[in-house]
Amino acid sequence: MRRFDLAGVGIGPFNLSLAALADPLDQLDVVLFDARPEFRWHPGLLVEGATLQVPFLADLVSLVDPTSRHSFLNYLRERGRLLPFYFAERFHLPRAEYDDYGRWAAARLPACRFGHEVTGLRWVAAEEAFELTVTGTEPVLAASVVLGVGTRPNLPEPVRDLVAAPDVLALHSADYLTHRAELLAAETVTVIGSGQSGAEVFLDLLRSRSTVDGLRWLARTPAFAPMEYSKLGLEQFTPDYTAYFHGLPEAVRDRLLPSQWQLYKGIDTDTIAAIHDELYRRSIGGGWPGAALTPGVEVVSATADEGGIELGLRHAEQGSSATHRTAAVVAATGYAGTPTGPLLRELAVRRDNHGRLVVGADHRLELGDGVTGSVFVQNAERHTHGPGAPDLGLGAWRAAAILNAVCGKAVYDLPDRTAFTTFGLPETEDQ
């Protein structure tokens, strides 16, 4: 069996960042596996005009090593597009461009092996290494493993069966582009979900349908609220805040996360403005556009029949209920972490009071006695590290911190302070 220093499971943006930052480290032998045939980043949501919610510097490497040949700016240079980008004065990239950048990077990183799924992971004491069972190739050994298995579409229970039904036009927003033509042709469409994906889908339908009569947007949140984007507010996406959050008691973290929803579930202000502009445009000449936007509403039931789909609705503030009929449903209801249980079943992994992984400050899992190797996680630790866990802006930093831990030294120099805000009181604070 081939032996590696580090093996990655999954090649999304975060493990791709790990591969890019590990590439120049001659002392480290790295391999990453992904079941998909190639790198793709939310292909069903690459809606024309949709942009990232983070600046272009939140690429795979730049916030740790801006001189890296895997940077976004080098991607532009090699594509012959550096000057057009300069004149475009873009700070936030089109989603489609980020997807292309990721595929460019993956294709030039020899550590990335697509079309191979890791199906098993166990500790082999005699080898002092983990053995990974991989489809399409022989097993490999690795002293350390990084799980970057990403997320999968989350469907609330009321719409789960509806989306699973083969003959019903109901889908998660992750599959939006696949069904876009059908949704444009449907007599009525209802978008469910108050976040960025719901807003982007609603805006695209609003712009593209010949008539917006019968187009409806429902959300549980009390308003279609903007994402927190103030400069000091954004410092909650810094390593300083991540360290502070990790140091809080579990019960405090669990209470705090739901209150921070506008950090990661809000809508960027440009999208909100574009929706309002389109509604205003359609009101020119008199009359209100036929589209309906209703916050504060929860979908409590969903059934389909020959006449379409019937949604049972409940308004939290009014305490009222109603039914709504529609021909199609797009559930922009977010994503949940891909379960790691099947991969970790042969390892003794410590879990918290709610059965979640206990993740150390260095993103390392707490394993049973006798295991001298390490398993790290990327984007599976929001409950321990806070709202920045899924944020692209922290990806390079986390990958570099993991590489430093694997190498046992600072192969990447990470600054001690990253925010103007001081989170919490130091133990020696004067009274």
Side-chain angles (χ1 to χ4, degrees):
M1 281 185 287
R2 174 84 184 273
R3 188 183 187 97
F4 294 89
D5 299 307
L6 178 64
V9 183
I11 310 177
F14 297 131
N15 265 0
L16 190 58
S17 175
L18 185 84
L21 289 170
D23 188 47
L25 304 180
D26 293 335
Q27 71 271 38
L28 209 59
D29 200 4
V30 179
V31 66
L32 297 96
F33 299 103
D34 196 292
R36 299 171 300 171
E38 63 178 351
F39 177 89
R40 294 306 305 268
W41 187 72
H42 297 301
L45 272 172
L46 300 181
V47 179
E48 184 176 352
T51 63
L52 292 187
Q53 294 172 279
V54 292
F56 73 88
L57 285 173
D59 63 7
L60 301 174
V61 293
S62 290
L63 290 177
V64 167
D65 180 12
T67 68
S68 169
R69 70 188 189 97
H70 304 299
S71 71
F72 175 74
L73 289 179
N74 192 46
Y75 152 81
L76 289 174
R77 185 186 67 83
E78 292 201 1
R79 288 280 202 253
R81 299 176 56 244
L82 194 54
L83 279 175
F85 178 76
Y86 167 69
F87 291 121
E89 297 186 348
R90 282 187 176 274
F91 202 51
H92 294 84
L93 306 178
R95 287 173 176 265
E97 187 171 28
Y98 182 83
D99 176 65
D100 188 64
Y101 161 63
R103 285 186 280 124
W104 168 85
R108 55 199 266 130
L109 287 165
C112 294
R113 313 278 179 85
F114 289 92
H116 299 285
E117 181 181 5
V118 176
T119 58
L121 175 65
R122 69 186 185 97
W123 175 252
V124 182
E127 298 285 352
E128 293 190 334
F130 296 97
E131 180 183 309
L132 288 79
T133 306
V134 187
T135 61
T137 188
E138 66 176 1
V140 300
L141 295 173
S144 297
V145 175
V146 181
L147 302 183
V149 293
T151 58
R152 62 181 184 179
N154 177 59
L155 289 166
E157 191 277 329
V159 299
R160 202 166 294 154
D161 291 341
L162 194 73
V163 172
D167 300 323
V168 179
L169 188 51
L171 56 133
H172 189 273
S173 56
D175 298 316
Y176 172 67
L177 287 184
T178 303
H179 298 277
R180 183 174 181 270
E182 298 169 80
L183 293 166
L184 292 178
E187 184 177 356
T188 54
V189 180
T190 300
V191 179
I192 302 169
S194 62
Q196 184 68 19
S197 295
E200 289 174 355
V201 167
F202 183 76
L203 176 59
D204 186 58
L205 293 171
L206 193 62
R207 285 171 167 169
S208 305
R209 286 171 61 90
S210 57
T211 175
V212 296
D213 291 346
L215 181 59
R216 190 164 192 179
W217 186 15
L218 305 174
R220 284 193 305 174
T221 53
F224 295 105
M227 181 169 287
E228 168 61 70
Y229 211 72
S230 65
K231 289 179 171 60
L232 289 178
L234 288 177
E235 289 197 338
Q236 291 172 90
F237 292 104
T238 60
D240 281 13
Y241 184 78
T242 299
Y244 162 75
F245 188 94
H246 186 271
L248 296 173
E250 178 185 326
V252 176
R253 295 197 303 257
D254 287 347
R255 187 170 66 249
L256 187 57
L257 262 180
S259 69
Q260 297 174 317
W261 66 272
Q262 276 186 263
L263 289 171
Y264 56 93
K265 289 186 178 180
I267 308 165
D268 77 61
T269 54
D270 287 344
T271 305
I272 292 176
I275 289 171
H276 190 276
D277 289 347
E278 183 62 24
L279 290 168
Y280 181 82
R281 184 186 69 81
R282 287 183 176 265
S283 73
I284 295 172
W288 291 90
L293 298 75
T294 312
V297 172
E298 181 181 7
V299 176
V300 295
S301 65
T303 56
D305 54 34
E306 293 182 358
I309 299 167
E310 183 173 285
L311 301 176
L313 309 179
R314 180 172 59 215
H315 196 284
E317 294 175 355
Q318 287 182 326
S320 57
S321 299
T323 58
H324 170 62
R325 292 198 66 85
T326 184
V329 167
V330 181
T333 46
Y335 295 81
T338 301
T340 55
L343 270 180
L344 298 173
R345 63 182 179 273
E346 294 192 47
L347 297 175
V349 183
R350 186 183 166 202
R351 296 183 180 272
D352 67 13
N353 295 327
H354 299 280
R356 300 168 301 195
L357 297 172
V358 172
V359 187
D362 60 357
H363 309 281
R364 194 186 322 235
L365 299 185
E366 294 192 16
L367 304 177
D369 295 338
V371 179
T372 57
S374 297
V375 176
F376 300 88
V377 293
Q378 300 218 66
N379 194 15
E381 71 281 21
R382 182 185 287 172
H383 61 290
T384 57
H385 287 65
D391 189 74
L392 292 175
L394 276 174
W397 178 286
R398 177 173 51 202
I402 291 172
L403 290 171
N404 286 349
V406 170
C407 293
K409 60 180 181 179
V411 292
Y412 284 103
D413 185 20
L414 301 177
D416 294 331
R417 184 171 181 180
T418 57
F420 291 112
T421 305
T422 300
F423 299 102
L425 296 174
E427 293 182 2
T428 57
E429 183 79 21
D430 292 335
Q431 300 297 316

